[in-house]
């Protein structure tokens, strides 16, 4: 799914109205119907409801929501903010007229001073103050109103986006000055801001309302942001032909593990095999021989000359893909081995965990990593390499900068893991669960991506598909083991089932 900028969505709205003969009033009614359907699915007419409507088209949406709720038996209190008595947009005026045709409605039009009703946790609040029409952060009375709503404990539904927030970037916004929604009913598309952890407490759960915007415009208007769904991955995964052998699906090398951390190598190896690599070799300290041979017998084991750590990463054969980092530690000998590997290998690799920690300690290595390589940092690992970032938004912008500068693919791990490409495109992942917040989950991801890379998928595809498969495997594992009980090995063992589910 494309994620459009606020300006692009306005263009799509305009094209829909001008070229397809759909009136703005009809689009407003479609938005309102979507919001009301959500309300009716969860609450009855006895629910005390307060609707805050601004003077623009977001306010128009809210007024039609009020009309439809009244027709459904609700008795909402409606506050319409018409500053100085002449600020209503054309559509907002028309929506107000339609609402007033119902007769005795509890509408207060606020022109100068406002007495805001007391709100409590029993209330349902509909936030239709600003939506995406906002140009600057909230100030004065509206800032106080946003705080009042958020601090009341009421259940809040925001139409399109929470008032006080921007759909794209929010560096200028303080969270306390934004309406905190429990549910955000986004019009047609989620907004970029929804995928950044900075805004999670503002957006709550988000849902989209399909209002039938121009499909031609949606297809033709470009964007650099995407929300990855099952159909996207199904389209790129290749079915296996009847006549095939292990030689058709690549040979991967995983450089992982050391004394005390062989579990990382085990989990990455299990995931790589479940993801379909034809042949897998694990290179690790000699102490890992029994661990790998007994727990992942399908994998070959390449022993390092050192008993307890990895001191030499020189590939002994020609591998189709190399993944390095899980559990290797940051011993000086391992640092030297990684430095040699990075400066020697000129094709894309996967770097994770301690490989990233070593790069953070030897910053010059970033200049030698082969273009197209995939780095899979969590927030802390990213900041150690590229500098501390004040927010998830700043981190994403920095990732865009460094991906372009070094021609790397950055997989920023999180709730909506973002795969950032050198061409500036960002793919947010839709799968995953809180159960995946467990030690070793990242090692599993390394195994999956390395496996796909070895099978001949381009680095961009291997990264995006690997993240999606990994998240779905986490969901499958959590279904069986629960959010508290899921381990990384459960996730690794579920990778094959995840791919099967995608390929159905």
């Amino acid at each position: 799914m494309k994620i459009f900028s606020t300006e692009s969505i306005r263009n799509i709205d305009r094209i829909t109205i001008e070229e397809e003969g759909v009136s703005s009033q009809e689009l407003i009614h479609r938005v309102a119907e979507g919001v009301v359907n959500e309300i009716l699915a969860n609450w009855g007419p006895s629910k005390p409801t307060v609707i805050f409507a601004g003077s623009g088209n977001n306010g128009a949406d809210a007024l039609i929501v009020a009309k439809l709720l009244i027709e459904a038996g609700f008795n909402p209190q409606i506050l319409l903010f018409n500053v100085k008595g002449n600020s209503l947009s054309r559509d907002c005026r028309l929506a107000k007229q339609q609402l007033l045709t119902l007769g005795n409605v509890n509408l207060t039009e606020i022109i100068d001073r406002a007495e805001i009703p007391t709100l409590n946790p029993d209330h349902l609040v509909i936030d239709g103050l600003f939506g995406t029409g906002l140009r600057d952060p909230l100030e004065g009375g509206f800032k106080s109103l946003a705080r009042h709503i958020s601090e009341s404990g009421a259940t809040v539904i925001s139409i399109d986006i929470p008032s006080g927030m921007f759909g794209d970037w929010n560096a200028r916004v303080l969270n306390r000055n934004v309406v905190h929604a429990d549910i955000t009913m986004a019009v047609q598309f989620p907004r970029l801001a929804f995928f950044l952890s900075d805004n999670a407490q503002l957006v709550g759960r988000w849902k989209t309302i399909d209002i039938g915007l121009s499909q031609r415009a949606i297809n033709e208007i470009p964007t650099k942001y995407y929300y990855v769904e099952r159909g996207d991955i199904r389209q790129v995964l290749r079915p296996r032909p009847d006549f095939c052998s292990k030689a058709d699906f690549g040979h991967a090398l995983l450089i992982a593990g050391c004394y005390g951390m062989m579990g990382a190598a085990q989990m990455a190896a299990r995931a790589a095999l479940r993801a379909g690599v034809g042949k897998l070799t694990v290179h690790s300290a000699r102490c890992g021989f029994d661990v790998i041979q007994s727990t992942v017998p399908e994998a070959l084991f390449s022993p390092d000359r050192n008993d307890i750590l990895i001191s030499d990463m020189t590939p002994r054969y020609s591998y189709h893909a190399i993944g390095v980092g899980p559990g290797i530690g940051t011993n000086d000998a391992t640092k030297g081995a990684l430095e040699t590997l990075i400066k020697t290998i000129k094709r894309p690799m996967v770097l994770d965990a301690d490989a990233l920690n070593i790069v953070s300690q030897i910053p010059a290595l970033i200049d030698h990593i082969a273009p197209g390589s995939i780095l899979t940092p969590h927030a802390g690992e990213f900041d150690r390499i590229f500098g501390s970032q004040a927010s998830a938004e700043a981190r994403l912008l920095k990732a865009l900068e460094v991906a372009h500068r070094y021609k790397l693919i950055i997989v920023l791990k999180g709730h909506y893991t973002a795969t950032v490409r050198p061409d500036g495109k960002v793919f947010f992942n839709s799968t995953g669960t809180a159960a995946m917040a467990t030690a070793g989950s990242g090692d599993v991801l390394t195994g999956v991506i390395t496996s796909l890379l070895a099978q001949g998928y381009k680095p961009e595809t291997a990264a995006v598909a690997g993240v999606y498969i990994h998240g779905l495997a986490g969901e499958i594992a959590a279904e069986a083991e629960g959010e508290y009980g899921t381990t990384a090995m459960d996730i690794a063992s579920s990778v094959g089932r995840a791919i099967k589910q995608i390929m159905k």
Side-chain angles (χ1 to χ4, degrees):
M1 178 197 297
K2 287 182 172 180
I3 303 169
F4 290 104
S5 69
T6 297
E7 187 58 37
S8 291
I9 293 174
R10 290 196 186 102
N11 287 337
I12 296 170
D13 279 343
R14 177 184 55 77
I15 290 169
T16 303
I17 292 167
E18 292 178 359
E19 297 185 7
E20 300 195 0
V22 180
S23 70
S24 58
Q25 282 291 302
E26 174 60 26
L27 294 179
I28 287 167
H29 274 266
R30 293 176 188 177
V31 172
E33 287 166 3
V35 175
V36 169
N37 287 340
E38 177 68 21
I39 294 170
L40 296 181
N42 292 281
W43 297 282
S46 61
K47 183 70 173 176
T49 303
V50 180
I51 298 176
F52 293 93
S55 58
N57 283 10
N58 196 239
D61 296 334
L63 293 178
I64 299 302
V65 167
K67 178 177 181 292
L68 297 178
L69 286 178
I70 292 169
E71 291 172 343
F74 284 69
N75 182 30
Q77 182 178 359
I78 309 154
L79 287 85
L80 172 61
F81 290 82
N82 183 9
V83 179
K84 298 180 181 178
N86 61 356
S87 64
L88 300 186
S89 69
R90 172 185 172 276
D91 283 319
C92 194
R93 288 197 308 273
L94 291 173
K96 174 188 168 186
Q97 291 169 11
Q98 292 179 53
L99 174 63
L100 293 176
T101 61
L102 297 179
N104 187 25
V105 297
N106 185 5
L107 171 66
T108 301
E109 190 165 353
I110 297 167
I111 294 173
D112 186 11
R113 300 176 67 85
E115 187 169 325
I116 304 303
T118 300
L119 301 173
N120 61 57
D122 290 331
H123 280 98
L124 173 64
V125 169
I126 310 303
D127 162 32
L129 287 168
F130 290 103
T132 56
L134 200 64
R135 294 291 186 272
D136 295 295
L138 296 183
E139 294 290 344
F142 283 117
K143 180 172 73 174
S144 299
L145 176 58
R147 291 185 181 181
H148 175 70
I149 293 171
S150 301
E151 293 167 4
S152 68
T155 299
V156 179
I157 296 179
S158 287
I159 302 174
D160 208 11
I161 64 171
S163 291
M165 179 178 165
F166 300 110
D168 305 324
W169 306 106
N170 285 272
R172 296 185 296 148
V173 174
L174 296 178
N175 282 10
R176 66 176 179 270
N177 298 335
V178 177
V179 171
H180 289 45
D182 295 281
I183 302 172
T184 297
M185 301 297 296
V187 178
Q188 196 76 42
F189 313 98
R191 303 303 191 264
L192 172 61
F194 294 3
F195 299 99
L196 301 175
S197 60
D198 309 327
N199 307 316
Q201 63 176 310
L202 308 179
V203 176
R205 290 184 298 116
W206 60 265
K207 300 183 177 183
T208 56
I209 305 169
D210 186 350
I211 62 170
L213 294 181
S214 168
Q215 193 58 52
R216 182 190 67 77
I218 292 171
N219 293 339
E220 292 181 1
I221 290 179
T223 182
K224 289 197 169 184
Y225 301 97
Y226 300 84
Y227 185 53
V228 180
E229 299 175 296
R230 176 184 175 272
D232 302 313
I233 305 305
R234 175 66 184 85
Q235 192 173 354
V236 300
L237 289 183
R238 299 187 289 262
R240 297 199 161 183
D242 293 334
F243 292 90
C244 61
S245 74
K246 64 185 179 185
D248 297 314
F249 305 113
H251 188 179
L253 172 65
L254 274 175
I255 302 172
C258 67
Y259 183 77
M261 291 193 286
M262 284 309 303
Q266 182 186 352
M267 289 179 284
R270 177 75 59 85
L273 289 162
R274 291 291 189 190
V277 69
K279 193 175 177 181
L280 175 68
T281 295
V282 176
H283 179 78
S284 191
R286 286 183 176 274
C287 65
F289 176 81
D290 287 341
V291 174
I292 297 300
Q293 292 291 274
S294 60
T295 61
V296 196
E298 302 89 347
L300 299 170
F301 187 80
S302 165
D304 194 89
R305 61 174 176 261
N306 195 293
D307 288 338
I308 63 172
L309 54 84
I310 297 173
S311 60
D312 182 5
M313 297 184 184
T314 305
R316 299 176 186 177
Y317 302 99
S318 179
Y319 298 98
H320 296 96
I322 299 173
V324 56
I328 63 174
T330 57
N331 180 277
D332 285 345
T334 304
K335 287 181 186 178
L338 180 66
E339 184 171 2
T340 299
L341 179 75
I342 287 175
K343 290 180 177 179
T344 302
I345 300 299
K346 300 304 179 185
R347 51 193 171 81
M349 294 189 295
V350 182
L351 285 82
D352 180 39
D354 283 329
L356 300 177
N357 290 330
I358 291 171
V359 171
S360 73
Q361 295 171 23
I362 312 174
L365 281 180
I366 198 74
D367 293 308
H368 298 279
I369 297 174
S373 289
I374 302 165
L375 279 59
T376 61
H378 57 58
E381 290 165 340
F382 182 89
D383 286 7
R384 282 195 287 274
I385 297 173
F386 300 111
S388 181
Q389 306 299 316
S391 64
E393 178 176 305
R395 191 169 295 109
L396 178 60
L397 289 168
K398 185 67 175 180
L400 282 162
E401 175 194 327
V402 297
H404 175 72
R405 182 192 308 168
Y406 299 109
K407 303 297 182 283
L408 300 173
I409 296 164
I410 309 290
V411 176
L412 278 177
K413 293 184 287 196
H415 178 50
Y416 296 108
T417 293
T419 301
V420 183
R421 300 192 337 190
D423 61 3
K425 290 185 177 180
V426 180
F427 295 80
F428 293 99
N429 189 49
S430 64
T431 57
T433 164
M436 300 175 75
T438 185
S441 181
D443 304 325
V444 174
L445 177 61
T446 299
V448 175
I449 296 176
T450 304
S451 177
L452 294 174
L453 197 60
Q455 292 174 62
Y457 291 95
K458 292 181 179 179
E460 297 89 344
T461 302
V464 172
V467 168
Y468 185 92
I469 291 166
H470 176 247
L472 183 56
E475 292 177 10
I476 292 169
E479 211 171 291
E481 305 297 339
E483 283 197 346
Y484 281 71
T486 297
T487 66
M489 194 59 82
D490 297 325
I491 300 170
S493 298
S494 300
V495 166
R497 278 174 284 165
I499 296 173
K500 179 181 178 181
Q501 188 170 313
I502 293 166
M503 298 294 282
K504 281 182 180 177

